[in-house]
Amino acid sequence: MPSSSTDDPAFGRLLDYIEDSLRFQTSSYNDAYLDRRISARMRRRRVDDYGSYHDLLTDDEDEQQALLDALSVNVTSFFRNPEVWEALREVLRDLSSRGSRHDPIKVWSAACSDGREAYSLAMLAHDDDRVDERRIEIVGTDIKREILRAARAGEYRASETNDVAEQLDPIGRWERFVDRDDDSFRVKDAVTDMVSFERRDLIREEPPGTFDLVVCRNLFIYINAESKRAVFETLGSAMKPDGYLTIGMTETIPPTCRQQFDPVEKRLRIYRASDTAVGR
């Protein structure tokens, strides 16, 4: 059986350079994922081997930034997997029924990318008469400063591969929440005012508080098992007793972390903090 291209010593040296010199934590990601993204850049630059691409990177700052952009996981959309969002509507209703009308409902959109997930949560709260949007406080976090600047701007452009209007369809009458100017879409102030953004490393840093609902979708399919466990421990420590967690529909909780979460909608990957979790 032929060896994998990721067994090439030049590939390992390239990853070391990216981690040490470009400050991108390659050790947290699957080698197969890294190889796909790096190979795509190599084809774009018409470079045939890892050593030559390594040499190119050291001399070309524009290519360094292009590679970092390619490696960052920023695949996102408004209301991705609409059936999950209908289930999250019920979660927000349950949280709204708890406590007094003065108690805030704290929501964390972890690995929020360009903000669409966080803004989807805010629109969902506005859309439902059984949810008091005035109580909802949403914080979106991501490791990448550039993507957070885009999130704060709340402006998105449609393209052949990014049909923003189609993404917004599940909320119905989305013009209540988003202004459109031809192919440009801007989230309205009533929605953006509910959301704040900050930089956070889910592996190395503590969570930005404790939350009634934590949403972290479609990150775990890219990172390795050790980093996955570390992120789940971070998310679990951020959940209030009886709080909720939502992950991507193709993702699973590591066996060592499962005692922290009880399934609510297992197929949709919605869980509640377990009463048996350590420290509860």
Side-chain angles (χ1 to χ4, degrees):
M1 184 176 179
S3 61
S4 167
S5 60
T6 58
D7 294 331
D8 185 339
F11 180 73
R13 290 191 292 272
L14 176 59
L15 294 189
D16 289 342
Y17 170 78
I18 294 169
E19 179 138 1
D20 296 340
S21 298
L22 304 187
R23 303 299 181 189
F24 183 88
Q25 197 172 353
T26 58
S27 55
S28 296
Y29 291 81
N30 295 319
D31 281 355
Y33 164 75
L34 294 169
D35 190 30
R36 287 195 301 273
R37 294 298 177 100
I38 291 170
S39 295
R41 290 303 312 168
M42 289 169 61
R43 289 192 296 272
R44 186 77 176 263
R45 297 302 303 269
R46 299 181 180 178
V47 177
D48 295 328
D49 60 82
Y50 298 120
S52 298
Y53 186 66
H54 189 166
D55 293 340
L56 172 65
L57 271 183
T58 59
D59 295 327
D60 190 331
E61 291 186 1
D62 289 341
E63 181 59 25
Q64 291 174 11
Q65 188 57 56
L67 177 63
L68 291 176
D69 289 343
L71 291 175
S72 299
V73 180
N74 295 319
V75 178
T76 186
S77 70
F78 290 105
F79 300 101
R80 186 173 181 177
N81 305 122
E83 59 184 328
V84 173
W85 289 92
E86 282 308 302
L88 285 175
R89 182 189 296 274
E90 294 299 326
V91 169
L92 291 179
R93 287 174 174 177
D94 177 56
L95 294 174
S96 291
S97 70
R98 302 180 188 177
S100 75
R101 59 188 179 90
H102 301 293
D103 294 332
I105 299 168
K106 295 184 176 290
V107 181
W108 181 17
S109 174
C112 69
S113 189
D114 67 7
R116 291 185 230 200
E117 179 180 86
Y119 291 137
S120 295
L121 287 160
M123 291 182 210
L124 192 65
H126 272 284
D127 184 62
D128 199 299
D129 291 339
R130 292 168 57 185
V131 177
D132 186 353
E133 72 277 1
R134 295 168 299 180
R135 293 175 58 195
I136 306 291
E137 299 177 4
I138 302 168
V139 59
T141 67
D142 202 275
I143 196 170
K144 190 177 177 185
R145 289 184 174 87
E146 293 85 353
I147 207 71
L148 289 172
R149 283 195 285 271
R152 293 186 184 101
E155 296 181 8
Y156 307 92
R157 292 196 65 83
S159 67
E160 290 182 3
T161 59
N162 180 33
D163 190 333
V164 179
E166 183 177 312
Q167 293 173 21
L168 290 165
D169 274 348
I171 201 66
R173 295 191 300 115
W174 50 262
E175 296 86 353
R176 295 171 291 165
F177 310 120
V178 179
D179 289 321
R180 179 175 187 174
D181 182 8
D182 196 19
D183 289 333
S184 179
F185 296 75
R186 186 182 185 282
V187 181
K188 293 186 178 182
D189 290 348
V191 175
T192 60
D193 288 349
M194 295 173 63
V195 185
S196 63
F197 294 97
E198 62 182 78
R199 186 182 181 278
R200 186 72 50 166
D201 184 331
L202 296 178
I203 296 171
R204 296 179 175 178
E205 297 179 333
E206 296 295 316
T210 55
F211 298 89
D212 300 285
L213 169 62
V214 176
V215 181
C216 186
R217 304 181 67 214
N218 307 303
L219 167 68
F220 302 107
I221 55 178
Y222 301 103
I223 61 178
N224 62 34
E226 182 179 353
S227 298
K228 186 176 178 179
R229 286 193 298 272
V231 173
F232 268 103
E233 289 169 2
T234 299
L235 301 180
S237 69
M239 295 171 65
K240 294 182 180 179
D242 215 26
Y244 289 91
L245 169 71
T246 304
I247 62 176
M249 288 186 69
T250 61
E251 298 173 325
T252 58
I253 298 175
T256 56
C257 301
R258 286 176 187 163
Q259 75 280 0
Q260 294 181 259
F261 310 100
D262 294 327
V264 175
E265 290 280 357
K266 191 170 184 179
R267 184 179 66 86
L268 302 178
R269 303 299 195 266
I270 298 176
Y271 303 86
R272 183 178 282 138
S274 171
D275 291 335
T276 61
V278 176
R280 298 194 187 281

